[in-house]
């Protein structure tokens, strides 16, 4: 496609699809017109992919996920179709910079964090590998809230990504399923029949996901909830207009908001309804497709794989058994075995509070037949493997992790360490009973979005050095190692980083009014705010460093900017206090005339995929400082390493594997290991001991406790100070001293820019293994037991 073809297509859509005259078109119109022109290029490979999968009778992979944090789609599609240059030229002709058009797209925040972003990377990789697959999720009207700060505090506002027409989706009014809730189970002809009391409609919206080089496209099918009855005409006619639309309002609530607050009973109920809603619709849709091709249900495990992204779709186990047994007549034991042959479960957390459990009362009320089936599943499992501790039902609760484990033929962790810990902790008993079930599949990230799209300067440099094969085969980055002794290469590497940093400096100046020095080290921690991720360890170190610079302002300090980004769950009070503290510290430090040339702190609001794409290429240092044993994997850590930002980190999650790949000399390790953390906690007064042993830490904590960062409001941050000097469950204090040491090593290393750039480039050269293409190949080989539908030559 030439740039004039693309320009004609854009102008055609502007006129005939959007009804706009070019003379009056605004940026949004151009963005929509470009999206439709690009979408046209996806449609043929998309249809071809469907036809190929049917013709080849390939096994299909269904990725069930409550979250797909896809971000913006236009640039990704243009990059994968190889149309970036063409689009630049087309818009040069049209007199508008392409970047202006691309940045007009809303960021689809249909996820909270790593789990949702992983699902988005996986779907892209499955398309790039030409594997027949489908992502199933929920089309939330409102994604993750918008974050702003008022006097340093997080404020949440609803997010409205669907306010403008979504250019990428196709509404499927014909693809609908009736989803029931409540009611009772009756016996008919010796069979159990669920008669739900309430119900709603799940309607599909399809978004094509194009793979690298446009060879294959899969579908992301998101369900939207619609009422079975639009409104109650009798009530309307009698003048009760609000009550007349109640059924519609109730039904739509299901797909209105991503993870509503589940601290209230109503919130919990809504979340379970969301889970059943999208899982049930997805299973029925997949079964319908299977039954259009095959008439033997025993073939199901050969032809269909359902991957459960965490426990959120774990109701798939009992629902699939119900569909096979109650609705299709397969004997119960066969139904369970068949369902298990199709299902596999990915665990993303060991935190007990995040492992879902539903009260039996709630499950029985909303899904009475499923509760009976869960009892049967437990009984069948106990008959095979007697051990009461391995049940899904316990103490009046349904444990969704255990249910997913029992109903999955494979259960995977997301990093090597996390997988080992799963075996030793949450699934200890089940692992003993099923020693082959737990396997590891370390996470990965798509190089198309996270290097080629986000970091064009680095990408050009890599391609100039080793050709462009790395985009589809990231391990080719190892070929960069031979270029590292070439000073010219390292200079160009440094120039690319510098260019990215300058872009960020300009953006921060424009958007936050804060001046940053591009020569300072950009030290970045971006992720959800959580105690285990320890943003408070980072800010404590900033406070201690500030105090030290004030004591000794003429020493040879390495200038640093600490950049934070991330949202706290609206109900997570302590996480919100951490945000408040960081913002208060930033205000004091940035206004300090003595220290601010050496140390600044910036908390960028509303962290999302787009902001990550801006920040990661401009980062020098990646903060991965979680309490060992708590971060299942991390994926941000991989994006930083790939973009040439060495890590300061603990031996947690995939940091362990990153360190092995990039080399211990190119990773700033600190802190206790997971077993050391457990042992340390045994000392009741571990925090007091750590504080007593480190005057720097004691002084930094004093500043948190007094009014240093809360002028006129002493005690504002006392909660954090008390937590850290008391219980300190996440052992912030006990890791502080070693973190300080490692940070000073970072300072010294950064001061030698030649050495630093080499280390940064080595991180890029040695991180090719962390591609989500590699992760997907692992799932294909070890879990789904299928492969691409096209050969490397596209046949
Ligand atoms: C994340 N989990 C893990 N959960 O924390 C991270 O280590 C891992 O890399 C990533 O999954 C992918 O495996 C995560 O993002 C959530 O967002 C929860 C979803 C349900 C509500 C609570 C947060």
């Amino acid at each position: 496609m030439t740039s004039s073809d693309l320009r004609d297509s854009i102008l055609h859509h502007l006129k005939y699809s959007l009804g706009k005259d070019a003379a009056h078109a605004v940026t949004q119109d151009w963005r929509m017109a470009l999206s439709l022109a690009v979408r046209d290029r996806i449609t043929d490979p998309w249809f071809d992919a469907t036809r190929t999968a049917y013709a080849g009778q390939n096994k299909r992979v269904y990725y069930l996920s409550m979250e797909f944090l896809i971000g913006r789609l236009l640039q990704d599609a243009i990059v994968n179709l190889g149309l970036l240059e063409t689009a630049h030229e087309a818009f040069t002709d049209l007199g508008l910079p392409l970047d202006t058009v691309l940045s007009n797209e809303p960021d689809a925040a249909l996820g909270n964090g790593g789990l949702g972003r992983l699902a988005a990377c996986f779907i892209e990789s499955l398309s790039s590998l030409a594997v027949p697959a489908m992502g199933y999720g929920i089309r939330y009207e409102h994604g993750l809230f918008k974050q702003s700060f008022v006097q340093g505090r997080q404020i949440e506002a609803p997010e409205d990504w669907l306010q403008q027409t979504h250019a990428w989706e196709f509404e499927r009014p014909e693809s609908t399923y009736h989803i029931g809730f409540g009611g009772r189970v009756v016996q008919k002809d010796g069979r159990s029949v669920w008669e739900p009391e309430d119900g709603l409609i799940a309607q599909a919206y399809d978004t094509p996901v194009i793979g690298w080089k446009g060879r294959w496209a899969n579908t992301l099918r998101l369900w939207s909830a619609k009422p079975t009855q639009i409104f109650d005409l009798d009530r309307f006619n009698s003048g009760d207009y609000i009550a007349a639309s109640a059924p519609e309002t109730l039904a739509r609530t299901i797909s209105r908001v991503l993870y509503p607050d589940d601290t209230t009973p109503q919130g919990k109920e809504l979340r379970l309804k969301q889970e059943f809603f999208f899982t049930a619709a997805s299973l029925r849709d997949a079964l319908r497709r299977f039954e259009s091709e095959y008439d033997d249900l025993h073939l199901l495990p050969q032809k269909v794989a359902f991957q459960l992204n965490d426990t959120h779709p774990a109701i798939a186990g009992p629902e699939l058994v119900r569909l096979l047994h109650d609705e299709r007549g397969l004997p119960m034991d066969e139904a369970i075995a068949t369902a298990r042959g199709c299902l596999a479960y990915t665990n993303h957390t060991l935190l007990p509070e995040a492992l879902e459990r539903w009260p039996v009362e709630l499950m029985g009320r909303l899904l009475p037949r499923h509760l009976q089936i869960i009892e049967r599943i437990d009984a069948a499992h106990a008959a095979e493997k007697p051990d009461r501790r391995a049940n899904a039902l316990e103490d009046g609760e349904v444990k969704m992790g255990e249910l997913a484990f029992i109903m999955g033929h494979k259960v995977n962790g997301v990093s090597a360490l996390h997988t080992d810990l799963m075996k030793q902790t949450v699934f200890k008993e089940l692992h003993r009973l099923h020693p082959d079930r737990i396997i590891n599949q370390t996470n990965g990230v798509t190089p198309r979005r996270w290097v080629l799209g986000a970091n064009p300067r680095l990408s050009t440099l890599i391609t100039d050095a080793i050709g462009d094969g790395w985009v589809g085969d990231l391990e080719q980055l190892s070929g960069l190692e031979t270029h590292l002794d070439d000073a010219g290469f390292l200079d160009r590497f440094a120039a690319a980083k510098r260019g990215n940093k300058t872009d960020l400096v300009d953006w921060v100046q424009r958007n936050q009014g804060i001046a940053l020095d591009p020569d300072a080290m950009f030290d970045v921690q971006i992720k959800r705010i959580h105690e285990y991720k320890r943003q408070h360890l980072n800010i404590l170190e900033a406070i201690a460093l500030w105090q030290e610079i004030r004591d000794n302002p003429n020493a040879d300090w390495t200038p640093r900017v600490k950049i934070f980004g991330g949202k706290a769950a609206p109900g997570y009070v302590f996480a919100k206090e951490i945000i408040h503290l960081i913002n208060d510290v930033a205000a004091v430090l940035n206004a300090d005339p003595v220290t601010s040339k050496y140390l600044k702190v910036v908390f960028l609001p509303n962290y999302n995929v787009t902001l990550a794409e801006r920040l990661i290429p401009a980062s020098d240092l990646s903060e991965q400082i979680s309490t060992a044993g708590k971060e299942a994997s991390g994926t941000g850590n991989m994006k930083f390493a790939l973009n040439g930002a060495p890590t300061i980190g603990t031996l947690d999650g995939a940091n362990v594997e990153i360190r092995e790949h990039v080399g211990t000399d190119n990773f700033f390790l600190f802190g206790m290991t997971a077993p050391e953390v457990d042992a340390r906690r045994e000392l009741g007064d571990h925090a007091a001991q750590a504080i007593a042993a480190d005057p720097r830490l004691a002084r930094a904590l004093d500043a948190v406790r007094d009014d240093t960062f809360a002028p006129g409001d002493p005690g504002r941050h006392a909660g954090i100070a008390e937590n850290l000097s008391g219980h300190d469950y996440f052992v912030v204090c006990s890791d502080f001293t070693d973190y300080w040491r490692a940070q000073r090593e970072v300072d010294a290393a950064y001061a030698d820019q030649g050495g630093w750039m080499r280390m940064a480039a080595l991180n890029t050269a040695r991180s090719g293994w962390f591609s989500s293409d590699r992760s997907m190949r692992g799932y294909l080989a070890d879990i789904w037991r299928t492969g691409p539908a096209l050969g490397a030559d596209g046949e």
Side-chain angles (χ1 to χ4, degrees):
M1 186 185 218
T2 65
S3 65
S4 75
D5 294 338
L6 181 59
R7 192 196 52 217
D8 291 349
S9 177
I10 293 166
L11 290 170
H12 176 90
H13 277 295
L14 192 67
K15 184 169 176 187
Y16 295 104
S17 308
L18 303 167
K20 271 285 172 102
D21 182 347
H24 299 121
V26 296
T27 308
Q28 186 185 329
D29 301 320
W30 290 113
R31 194 254 303 164
M32 283 297 294
L34 173 61
S35 303
L36 295 174
V38 171
R39 201 179 73 173
D40 287 350
R41 314 292 304 173
I42 296 178
T43 310
D44 283 325
W46 190 28
F47 286 6
D48 288 348
T50 307
R51 277 193 285 267
T52 305
Y54 271 103
Q57 300 206 317
N58 294 75
K59 183 169 185 174
R60 284 193 179 75
V61 172
Y62 295 107
Y63 198 78
L64 270 59
S65 179
M66 195 83 163
E67 306 190 2
F68 285 91
L69 189 41
I70 48 184
R72 289 178 178 158
L73 297 181
L74 177 53
Q75 175 173 317
D76 221 32
I78 292 177
V79 163
N80 275 0
L81 289 168
L83 288 176
L84 197 55
E85 275 309 301
T86 315
H88 269 294
E89 285 165 25
F91 273 94
T92 307
D93 290 356
L94 292 165
L96 196 70
L98 177 65
D99 288 346
T100 307
V101 178
L102 296 179
S103 56
N104 176 263
E105 185 179 0
D107 186 302
L110 310 185
N112 277 289
L115 172 152
R117 184 54 234 175
L118 185 77
C121 283
F122 280 2
I123 282 299
E124 194 273 351
S125 274
L126 287 167
S127 290
S128 290
L129 295 172
V131 173
M134 201 157 187
Y136 276 123
I138 298 181
R139 182 180 179 270
Y140 301 104
E141 242 174 86
H142 303 287
L144 191 59
F145 64 88
K146 276 194 202 147
Q147 179 198 54
S148 61
F149 301 132
V150 172
Q151 291 177 342
R153 287 195 166 85
Q154 170 174 297
I155 304 293
E156 299 108 30
E159 187 274 352
D160 52 6
W161 73 295
L162 287 175
Q163 199 80 53
Q164 306 165 23
T165 314
H166 181 32
W168 298 101
E169 68 183 6
F170 292 88
E171 186 175 358
R172 303 292 191 206
E174 75 292 358
S175 289
T176 55
Y177 297 91
H178 183 272
I179 309 296
F181 289 105
R184 56 197 188 130
V185 181
V186 296
Q187 296 299 314
K188 275 192 191 150
D189 307 327
R191 282 163 67 171
S192 299
V193 178
W194 178 28
E195 292 183 343
E197 188 182 343
D198 305 318
L200 45 83
I201 302 291
Q203 189 197 314
Y205 286 75
D206 288 349
T207 299
V209 179
I210 187 80
W212 175 231
K213 291 193 172 163
R215 292 162 70 229
W216 187 271
N218 283 317
T219 305
L220 175 59
R221 174 161 279 195
L222 301 180
W223 300 105
S224 181
K226 312 266 151 121
T228 44
Q229 181 196 12
I230 292 294
F231 66 81
D232 186 329
L233 195 56
D234 288 344
R235 279 184 161 156
F236 186 85
N237 287 337
S238 67
D240 194 350
Y241 304 125
I242 292 180
S245 21
E248 178 172 19
T249 311
L250 261 180
R252 289 191 194 271
T253 306
I254 297 276
S255 52
R256 183 152 288 168
V257 197
L258 167 80
Y259 286 127
D261 185 0
D262 63 359
T263 48
T264 62
Q266 292 88 335
K268 269 205 185 330
E269 182 164 330
L270 183 51
R271 177 149 168 197
L272 180 56
K273 278 186 170 170
Q274 286 186 319
E275 295 184 355
F276 181 66
F277 162 76
F278 98 94
T279 304
S282 308
L283 292 184
R284 268 170 244 184
D285 197 45
L287 268 189
R288 177 198 52 75
R289 198 168 295 114
F290 171 84
E291 287 173 333
S292 75
E293 294 181 85
Y294 310 100
D295 52 17
D296 180 1
L297 285 173
H298 297 99
L299 288 176
L300 203 62
Q302 285 172 46
K303 296 295 176 187
V304 171
F306 293 112
Q307 190 66 29
L308 310 181
N309 196 26
D310 219 289
T311 53
H312 317 145
I315 197 68
E319 172 65 358
L320 189 51
V321 171
R322 193 186 70 79
L323 293 171
L324 296 176
H325 173 73
D326 293 5
E327 295 199 352
R328 287 168 178 76
L330 224 59
M332 183 56 102
D333 288 345
E334 266 179 48
I336 294 177
T338 306
R340 184 177 294 127
C342 303
L343 292 163
Y345 155 53
T346 305
N347 174 280
H348 296 270
T349 185
L350 306 174
L351 297 181
E353 68 272 23
L355 289 168
E356 290 187 300
R357 289 160 175 255
W358 299 112
V360 163
E361 179 280 323
L362 175 63
M363 184 69 80
R365 184 157 46 79
L366 283 186
L367 301 169
R369 179 58 183 148
H370 297 78
L371 182 59
Q372 291 179 347
I373 293 174
I374 293 167
E375 284 162 2
R376 285 293 303 266
I377 289 171
D378 257 354
H381 184 252
E384 193 195 329
K385 307 270 181 190
D387 188 332
R388 200 185 50 78
R389 292 166 300 181
N391 284 357
L393 280 162
E394 193 184 54
D395 297 336
E397 288 184 319
V398 187
K399 299 185 289 179
M400 300 307 268
E402 278 73 2
L403 179 61
F405 191 115
I406 294 168
M407 284 308 297
H409 65 284
K410 288 287 177 214
V411 176
N412 76 283
V414 287
S415 72
L417 175 67
H418 164 66
T419 304
D420 283 346
L421 293 173
M422 253 165 83
K423 293 178 184 174
Q424 293 162 27
T425 60
V426 279
F427 295 128
K428 192 171 171 203
E429 301 310 326
L430 281 164
H431 172 58
R432 195 177 51 76
L433 300 175
H434 303 276
D436 299 328
R437 195 164 293 184
I438 297 184
I439 60 167
N440 178 237
Q441 297 296 345
T442 297
N443 286 165
V445 302
T446 167
R448 272 74 62 182
R449 181 179 288 259
W450 294 107
V451 185
L452 187 60
N455 199 342
R457 290 188 179 93
L458 178 62
S459 300
T460 304
L461 175 60
I462 297 172
T463 299
D464 287 350
I466 60 169
D468 66 1
W470 62 274
V471 182
D473 175 12
L474 201 60
E475 302 213 32
Q476 289 186 23
L477 287 182
S478 63
L480 291 174
E481 284 215 33
T482 57
H483 295 263
L484 297 188
D485 294 325
D486 166 4
F489 178 84
L490 284 185
D491 287 347
R492 288 197 296 277
F493 193 92
K497 183 64 81 182
R498 168 84 190 193
N500 296 337
K501 289 175 72 175
T502 310
D503 285 353
L504 180 65
V505 167
D506 293 345
W507 186 86
V508 171
Q509 179 70 58
R510 273 199 314 278
N511 289 275
Q512 302 294 313
I514 302 175
L516 301 178
D517 170 10
D519 286 327
M521 181 203 313
F522 286 8
D523 163 351
V524 181
Q525 188 172 21
I526 42 175
K527 47 184 79 250
R528 285 301 289 256
I529 311 297
H530 203 295
E531 285 164 278
Y532 84 77
K533 296 179 189 276
R534 301 198 296 191
Q535 282 90 355
H536 45 347
L537 173 58
N538 191 348
I539 200 67
L540 265 185
E541 194 266 338
I543 296 169
L545 181 58
W546 171 67
Q547 292 170 327
E548 201 118 327
I549 301 174
R550 278 167 71 100
D551 288 350
N552 199 355
N554 297 319
D556 192 16
W557 300 106
T558 300
R560 227 187 239 252
V561 182
K562 289 219 181 223
I563 301 175
F564 293 85
K567 297 178 181 177
Y572 191 169
V573 175
F574 197 82
K576 291 176 134 178
E577 286 176 8
I578 294 176
I579 292 179
H580 196 184
L581 174 64
I582 297 172
N583 278 322
D584 279 357
V585 170
V588 171
L589 270 57
N590 298 351
D592 187 320
V594 177
T595 61
S596 61
K597 54 180 175 294
Y598 299 121
L599 179 61
K600 281 197 174 160
V601 174
V602 182
F603 201 137
L604 296 172
N606 205 37
Y607 176 63
N608 59 13
V609 174
T610 301
L611 187 52
E613 289 166 5
R614 193 184 292 288
L615 282 170
I616 292 170
S619 299
D620 293 308
L621 183 68
S622 160
E623 295 271 354
Q624 309 299 335
I625 60 176
S626 49
T627 313
K630 296 295 179 194
E631 188 69 87
S633 163
T635 45
N637 47 4
M638 302 167 185
K639 296 166 195 166
F640 280 104
L642 274 166
N643 282 281
T647 306
I648 183 164
T650 46
L651 281 180
D652 200 15
N655 293 355
V656 177
E657 289 149 272
I658 291 177
R659 182 166 171 267
E660 282 164 10
H661 277 85
V662 303
T664 54
D665 292 345
N666 304 302
F667 184 110
F668 297 92
L669 179 69
F670 77 95
M672 290 175 281
T673 60
E676 285 166 357
V677 166
D678 290 340
R680 180 86 189 166
R681 277 208 200 95
E682 296 293 310
L683 308 171
D685 62 345
H686 53 87
Q689 286 192 30
I691 296 165
D694 189 340
R696 248 187 223 111
L697 171 60
R699 189 177 171 204
L701 277 171
D702 284 344
V704 173
R705 196 176 289 109
D706 66 27
D707 65 349
T708 308
F709 305 112
D713 183 16
R716 187 190 294 168
H717 300 298
I720 295 182
E722 292 327 311
N723 176 299
L724 291 182
S725 46
H727 182 52
D728 190 19
Y729 180 76
F730 295 99
V731 292
V732 170
C733 291
S734 301
D735 265 350
F736 178 88
T737 308
D738 203 32
Y739 181 53
W740 174 273
R741 175 205 50 79
Q743 287 287 26
R744 302 294 73 78
E745 271 181 30
V746 170
D747 282 341
Y750 190 79
D752 165 18
Q753 274 294 293
W756 182 271
M757 282 306 153
R758 200 186 150 76
M759 190 192 298
L762 269 173
N763 267 264
T764 301
R766 295 179 177 173
S767 297
W769 190 74
F770 296 97
S771 167
S772 45
D773 299 347
R774 185 267 313 148
S775 306
M776 288 294 84
R777 287 204 183 88
Y779 281 74
L780 285 164
D782 305 338
I783 305 176
W784 304 328
R785 301 198 181 276
T786 179
L790 298 180
D793 55 0
E795 292 304 313

